[in-house]
Amino acid sequence: MLLTQHTIHTINSDLISKPTESSFLYPEKILQFGTGVLLRGLPDYFVHKANQKKLFCGRILVVKSTSSAGADAFEQQDNLYTLSIKGIEDGEEISHYEINNSISRVLAANQDWSEILKSAENPDLEIVFSNTTEVGIVMSEDTINDAPPTSFPGKLLAILYRRFVYFNADKNKGLTVVPTELITDNGTKLKSIVTALAKLNELSEKFMDWLDTANDFCNTLVDRIVPGALPLAEYTKTCALLGYEDQLMIMAEPFRLWAIEANSERVQQRLSFALADPNVMLVPSIEKYKEIKLRLLNGTHSLSCALALLAGFETVKEAMQNTAFNQFIRLLMQDEIGPAILSDSISVADINDFSSKVIDRFANPHLEHKWESIALNYSSKMAMRNIPLLRKWYTTHNKAPQLFALGFAAYLYLLKSKLNGDQYEQLINGRTVVLQDELAPRLHVAWSNPDKLVHTVLSDTDLWGINLTEFPHFEETVNQKLQQIIEKGALKALEISSVLDNKKYK
């Protein structure tokens, strides 16, 4: 049995949360560009949740970039899909299934453009969501008369202009645009491109004023791992468990965060779906959340990645099952990264709360997060995520951060490569792996003189923007940790460090 609006009434499993009948009747209030799993696993999840609580009462018209040959899964399933939420929350493993009916229609831009433009005349429409990937928010030479414009900003401009004309420049009929693309200041950048396109199209000053004052472009930060479709074996097992088939079923971790800059009462009123979940943050600035995520999640990844690989762990969840590694992660966040990012806006409570959630996320048994993937472009990640942390650490400390130094030493050892033709290779977990790191050639040369390696790398201001040997005791600590890794191995280096100091850990 396939999941559809007709068959949903026959599903009686206690394992599934089903939408209310009234929620199928809600008007379209959101225009969404993209059908991807992040949108369906995060923004659409929040909208669905709010609809079930009657806090938003609006559905989503989705625009996809291309049309499929014949009926696609959205059409076959009346746009219904199951979200399988699996992972660890507050230390407890959870498994939850819910049928999401937030999407009302799915239209193809290259086939249904006239109907998509017609949606701009909908008086209930208030919001635009998007996830067109990092290359989606780009300047083009689109015109509003293209059918359709090639770029996402071009399509958005055409929608806005149709709305401006239809509602006769009514400033109450502007839209709140909430992009989720993973670029810095995504809303600000999108607005600047749409504005530039409007000028390129020689649109009137009256429209330019309406674009600027009647519409809101919000900077956002999204954070949820949504791997997408379940592996075939798990999908088959889940369908048997639930009693129906669902070609659109996706999985997501329990953790979710959507921070949205909402600097006006107008934006806050339109984004009323935020009331359904405290993990949607409508805030004056998202900088606090960006900093916490970048340092505690991404920074911890970078400082633990090489250690995990050198210790023989393939995935994050596998590493978290090891006592020494698990405690390294905990203490790294609590004792070194956390104190470095404390500020007027970031409290100890913020750090402890997010750190505990990172532990849950890392230990999720349903995620196959491979360390080799995390190690891609390792040097640039280290420079962006962790060197600023080191600088902050030394503003309040006069001693080297021991766990940071261990993670940095492991990074150096991981990039001790062999040159094979024009490729730099390293033996990882018994396999020869080509290092995908732009600085692999530079580190390869530095390793030609092992005795001076640490000093050479740390003093290279072209790499880090600062001479790291100037930080008290950092060079000698990294040297010490590197020798431990070389002589005893990464796992033993973890065990003999302060990581297993039980009094400190408790």
Side-chain angles (χ1 to χ4, degrees):
M1 180 179 71
L2 185 66
L3 174 64
T4 67
Q5 192 169 343
H6 175 71
T7 61
I8 192 174
H9 302 291
T10 67
I11 299 171
N12 297 312
S13 174
D14 294 335
L15 299 173
I16 308 165
S17 172
K18 297 196 296 184
T20 61
E21 290 191 18
S22 61
S23 62
F24 284 95
L25 304 176
Y26 292 154
E28 291 174 347
K29 295 172 69 173
I30 300 171
L31 181 63
Q32 175 174 298
F33 288 85
T35 60
V37 295
L38 177 64
L39 285 168
R40 290 194 285 132
L42 191 67
D44 299 356
Y45 163 84
F46 288 126
V47 170
H48 174 78
K49 188 173 183 179
N51 283 344
Q52 302 316 299
K53 296 181 178 182
K54 298 183 178 180
L55 293 173
F56 182 68
C57 302
R59 300 183 79 195
I60 304 168
L61 168 58
V62 173
V63 177
K64 60 179 181 176
S65 57
T66 59
S67 59
S68 303
D72 68 7
F74 286 98
E75 182 179 346
Q76 292 173 342
Q77 295 185 193
D78 300 320
N79 306 304
L80 297 172
Y81 66 93
T82 307
L83 182 63
S84 170
I85 301 173
K86 291 179 176 290
I88 298 176
E89 190 169 42
D90 298 327
E92 300 291 331
E93 187 166 351
I94 68 168
S95 181
H96 175 68
Y97 305 92
E98 61 182 48
I99 296 174
N100 187 308
N101 75 330
S102 62
I103 297 174
S104 58
R105 292 186 292 163
V106 177
L107 300 177
N110 63 350
Q111 180 176 294
D112 306 309
W113 184 241
S114 61
E115 192 172 352
I116 293 167
L117 270 181
K118 184 72 175 175
S119 72
E121 300 172 5
N122 173 10
D124 293 312
L125 189 65
E126 294 183 334
I127 302 167
V128 175
F129 290 164
S130 72
N131 192 300
T132 55
T133 75
E134 291 82 347
V135 297
I137 300 182
V138 292
M139 186 61 181
S140 67
E141 295 185 356
D142 290 335
T143 74
I144 58 172
N145 295 318
D146 292 339
T150 57
S151 71
F152 162 53
K155 294 181 179 73
L156 180 57
L157 176 62
I159 292 286
L160 291 171
Y161 188 72
R162 170 69 73 92
R163 194 166 180 84
F164 164 79
V165 173
Y166 185 81
F167 289 106
N168 196 26
D170 186 343
K171 291 199 173 182
N172 293 317
K173 293 301 180 182
L175 300 177
T176 296
V177 184
V178 192
T180 65
E181 286 82 359
L182 299 176
I183 59 174
T184 301
D185 298 329
N186 46 18
T188 301
K189 184 173 182 180
L190 178 57
K191 182 177 181 179
S192 69
I193 293 174
V194 171
T195 301
L197 267 177
K199 293 178 180 177
L200 185 66
N201 278 259
E202 299 181 340
L203 300 181
S204 67
E205 286 300 319
K206 188 175 182 180
F207 172 76
M208 300 299 292
D209 176 68
W210 181 86
L211 174 64
D212 184 48
T213 60
N215 299 274
D216 303 284
F217 290 74
C218 304
N219 292 322
T220 73
L221 172 71
V222 292
D223 190 8
R224 189 178 211 179
I225 299 174
V226 187
L230 279 64
L232 181 58
E234 186 176 349
Y235 170 76
T236 302
K237 182 179 178 181
T238 303
C239 289
L241 177 69
L242 302 181
Y244 63 87
E245 293 185 12
D246 178 356
Q247 303 170 75
L248 297 171
M249 184 184 297
I250 58 173
M251 189 189 84
E253 66 172 337
F255 179 86
R256 66 245 178 231
L257 172 66
W258 196 9
I260 305 171
E261 287 186 355
N263 294 313
S264 71
E265 185 177 347
R266 177 172 69 190
V267 172
Q268 293 175 4
Q269 288 178 347
R270 287 180 177 170
L271 305 185
S272 59
F273 58 80
L275 298 172
D277 194 307
N279 296 290
V280 184
M281 314 284 191
L282 302 184
V283 291
S285 170
I286 63 172
E287 292 306 311
K288 164 184 172 177
Y289 302 96
K290 287 168 61 177
E291 179 72 0
I292 290 174
K293 177 180 181 290
L294 179 64
R295 307 307 177 193
L296 283 172
L297 177 65
N298 304 128
T300 298
H301 263 153
S302 295
L303 284 171
S304 58
C305 179
L307 280 166
L309 286 169
L310 294 171
F313 302 123
E314 183 178 351
T315 63
V316 176
K317 66 180 180 182
E318 179 188 4
M320 292 300 289
Q321 293 171 2
N322 177 273
T323 301
F325 188 88
N326 190 301
Q327 293 187 3
F328 169 80
I329 294 292
R330 292 174 185 271
L331 291 177
L332 176 65
M333 290 190 291
Q334 293 173 2
D335 291 356
E336 294 187 359
I337 297 179
I341 64 173
L342 272 175
S343 66
D344 291 339
S345 62
I346 300 176
S347 67
V348 172
D350 290 329
I351 292 167
N352 291 340
D353 177 63
F354 196 84
S355 296
S356 66
K357 291 175 180 175
V358 168
I359 295 296
D360 285 345
R361 300 175 77 183
F362 280 13
N364 189 336
H366 301 281
L367 297 179
E368 295 292 330
H369 205 172
K370 296 185 180 296
W371 288 111
E372 282 186 31
S373 299
I374 296 171
L376 294 176
N377 304 313
Y378 204 165
S379 296
S380 62
K381 291 176 181 176
M382 184 68 74
M384 179 182 70
R385 299 170 176 178
N386 299 117
I387 300 308
L389 274 175
L390 190 63
R391 300 179 72 162
K392 290 181 179 181
W393 169 268
Y394 275 103
T395 61
T396 55
H397 296 78
N398 197 40
K399 60 181 181 179
Q402 297 291 311
L403 305 180
F404 186 112
L406 179 59
F408 193 90
Y411 150 77
L412 292 178
Y413 193 63
L414 187 69
L415 266 73
K416 183 184 179 183
S417 60
K418 292 183 179 179
L419 184 59
N420 183 6
D422 60 351
Q423 295 182 332
Y424 295 85
E425 299 177 343
Q426 170 65 287
L427 192 66
I428 300 176
N429 297 341
R431 294 189 302 109
T432 298
V433 175
V434 177
L435 295 176
Q436 303 294 323
D437 191 300
E438 67 280 9
L439 294 182
R442 201 159 185 158
L443 270 292
H444 178 79
V445 172
W447 267 104
S448 63
N449 190 343
D451 293 338
K452 295 185 178 180
L453 165 79
V454 172
H455 182 81
T456 298
V457 175
L458 264 59
S459 62
D460 193 335
T461 56
D462 289 338
L463 289 180
W464 316 115
I466 189 172
N467 185 344
L468 303 184
T469 65
E470 295 178 357
F471 293 127
H473 312 295
F474 186 63
E475 180 181 351
E476 62 187 86
T477 305
V478 172
N479 254 317
Q480 177 192 13
K481 302 298 184 183
L482 181 58
Q483 290 307 307
Q484 288 178 353
I485 293 171
I486 293 172
E487 295 170 7
K488 302 179 182 297
L491 197 54
K492 190 64 178 178
L494 279 166
E495 293 170 351
I496 64 177
S497 71
S498 60
V499 178
L500 293 181
D501 182 340
N502 289 327
K503 291 183 180 179
K504 180 180 180 182
Y505 181 65
K506 293 177 181 178

